[in-house]
Amino acid sequence: MTLHTILKMGDPRLLLTAQPVTAFDTPELHRLIEDMRETMAVANGAGLAAPQIGVNLQVVIFGTGAVVPRYPDAEPVPRTVLINPTITPMGDEEIEDWEGCLSVPGMRGVVPRWARIRYQGFDPLGGVIDRVAEGFHARVVQHECDHLWGKLYPMRVRDFSRFGFIEVLFPELSDQADD
Ligand code: NI
């Protein structure tokens, strides 16, 4: 396994549209996922997309399995590897809430997201994933999949009076990592 450096906003590789995975259950794919898992764990993140470590493929991982200290009010999100995803909003309700990102360290912003979504894609073996999600789960999926379309959450912030540094906005969380 290899710990990767997480690319930061400003790196043009974070603005690309990622390519679909064409071969499942390969040593290369499993290695990529292991590297992403380890990199996310060390960074204390709730999710990571392959482009964030410079791999331009449609692979995201997310999930907490338990309550994340930085999001103490958020419900647990199932640990998931999601490949070649699509997201369909269910209804037109949006919810605004705070987000951070490992590629935008030290910052938080309020981002509108679909309240309820259906997401579909594949697991590393090529098995179908087809779920309905809401709340924090839906937010994490939308945030991570945005990385595959070259979108970082600050691009979705509408009110920049609610965007800033964690140490100023949430001093009680400033010892925690981002995302
Ligand atoms: Ni992110």
Side-chain angles (χ1 to χ4, degrees), residues 2-125:
T2 309
L3 262 186
H4 290 264
T5 301
I6 296 175
L7 305 184
K8 292 181 185 166
M9 189 167 72
D11 191 305
R13 289 171 288 180
L14 291 171
L15 304 177
L16 300 172
T17 299
Q19 299 298 308
V21 169
T22 54
F24 293 90
D25 198 19
T26 63
E28 294 77 16
L29 182 59
H30 290 301
R31 195 174 311 123
L32 168 64
I33 291 161
E34 275 313 298
D35 287 357
M36 288 174 64
R37 277 205 183 102
E38 191 183 18
T39 301
M40 182 177 96
V42 168
N44 196 22
L48 189 74
Q52 291 181 277
I53 58 167
V55 176
N56 195 37
L57 287 173
Q58 293 181 19
V59 179
V60 300
I61 65 173
F62 55 84
T64 57
V67 171
V68 184
R70 280 172 296 111
Y71 298 95
D73 301 326
E75 63 275 23
V77 177
R79 291 183 192 279
T80 304
V81 178
L82 182 64
I83 298 170
N84 300 351
T86 59
I87 294 178
T88 310
M90 300 182 72
D92 49 15
E93 185 191 352
E94 289 182 344
I95 295 180
E96 293 190 319
D97 208 344
W98 292 93
E99 291 186 18
C101 180
L102 294 173
S103 293
V104 193
M107 309 210 62
R108 284 286 178 86
V110 169
V111 183
R113 298 287 187 188
W114 300 115
R116 198 156 183 263
I117 60 168
R118 177 183 185 185
Y119 66 92
Q120 297 163 284
F122 300 92
D123 69 24
L125 302 179

Side-chain angles (χ1 to χ4, degrees), residues 52 101 143 147 179:
Q52 291 181 277
C101 180
H143 176 115
H147 281 291
D179 203 68

Side-chain angles (χ1 to χ4, degrees), residues 14-17 101 113 142-156:
L14 291 171
L15 304 177
L16 300 172
T17 299
C101 180
R113 298 287 187 188
Q142 290 171 84
H143 176 115
E144 295 311 327
C145 292
D146 256 1
H147 281 291
L148 306 180
W149 329 128
K151 276 241 189 290
L152 298 164
Y153 84 82
M155 300 174 184
R156 295 201 182 275

